[in-house]
Amino acid sequence: MVVLNKIYTRTGDDGTTALGTGERVAKYDLRVEAYGTVDETNAVIGLARLHTGDTDPALDAMLARIQNDLFDLGADLCFPDETKDGSARLSVSDAQVARLESEIDEMNRSLEPLRSFVLPGGRPAASFLHLARTVSRRAERLIVALASRPGEPVSEPAIRYVNRLSDFLFVAARYANDKGATDVTWVPGKNR
């Protein structure tokens, strides 16, 4: 259980922050960058949800679940090792990855195949979902870079989840654009 009764602690005034294990690292540490960018993705999804709650309750419910999953992913990343007391640490599961895949397939069935690349735009929800997609791709790059470092464990499901997330957000953006009808497509060389 998380209890936050005081928001500022002053412990980060020296430029460090605590991982879930209690270890203090620089605020620019790659692990902190990775879970901070996951948090940024979550915030952009929150913006998209301002436009899905009334118009598409099913999509909004998927996005709400993903926001919760992203806190699981952040917890997974902020605990690089097992907990000190031996208790199980929270980590992303294969079931969470499978659920994303299932939802991607479900939404994609209602979309026409793409004949061009899609530009970010269209409806407000779609625009924010495209922004969330690009931020999640940045999170993925940071997570993969972290995982490539010796002594910096990252769970395999965490890597798969963030990879599928950007795919989900792309399909969800098309879905939010009237199931692709209001997608803005790229016209190669249009402005030459």
Side-chain angles (χ1 to χ4, degrees):
M1 161 93 36
V2 175
V3 177
L4 298 173
N5 56 2
K6 186 169 183 177
I7 300 304
Y8 66 90
T9 61
R10 297 186 176 118
T11 58
D13 290 352
D14 65 353
T16 66
T17 191
L19 298 177
T21 59
E23 175 189 357
R24 299 220 43 101
V25 297
K27 289 187 178 191
Y28 56 81
D29 184 89
L30 186 56
R31 185 168 295 278
V32 177
E33 284 285 333
Y35 66 73
T37 307
V38 167
D39 188 38
E40 186 180 348
T41 302
N42 204 339
V44 179
I45 291 171
L47 289 172
R49 291 189 63 211
L50 292 174
H51 303 281
T52 59
D54 294 334
T55 61
D56 193 333
L59 177 57
D60 191 63
M62 287 185 249
L63 294 172
R65 184 195 39 74
I66 287 168
Q67 284 191 293
N68 200 78
D69 285 354
L70 289 176
F71 264 77
D72 292 353
L73 177 57
D76 192 336
L77 292 168
C78 87
F79 272 94
D81 299 313
E82 296 304 314
T83 59
K84 289 182 181 181
D85 63 4
S87 61
R89 70 180 190 78
L90 184 59
S91 59
V92 173
S93 71
D94 290 326
Q96 288 168 297
V97 176
R99 187 169 39 246
L100 272 181
E101 291 173 349
S102 174
E103 290 173 344
I104 291 168
D105 293 341
E106 179 184 326
M107 285 186 294
N108 206 42
R109 277 192 285 279
S110 66
L111 302 175
E112 291 293 321
L114 283 172
R115 306 268 184 253
S116 178
F117 288 108
V118 174
L119 301 176
R123 303 231 178 253
S127 297
F128 282 118
L129 289 167
H130 278 296
L131 179 57
R133 173 186 54 81
T134 65
V135 177
S136 74
R137 280 289 188 211
R138 180 163 30 96
E140 180 184 16
R141 291 189 299 272
L142 291 166
I143 291 167
V144 170
L146 178 66
S148 73
R149 288 185 171 178
E152 292 287 2
V154 175
S155 75
E156 289 296 321
I159 294 170
R160 285 193 302 276
Y161 186 90
V162 74
N163 182 268
R164 294 309 177 286
L165 177 61
S166 58
D167 297 333
F168 173 94
L169 293 167
F170 176 77
V171 172
R174 293 199 64 220
Y175 189 84
N177 265 341
D178 299 317
K179 298 182 179 173
T182 56
D183 278 342
V184 180
T185 55
W186 173 50
V187 179
K190 178 182 178 181
N191 300 312
R192 288 184 174 186

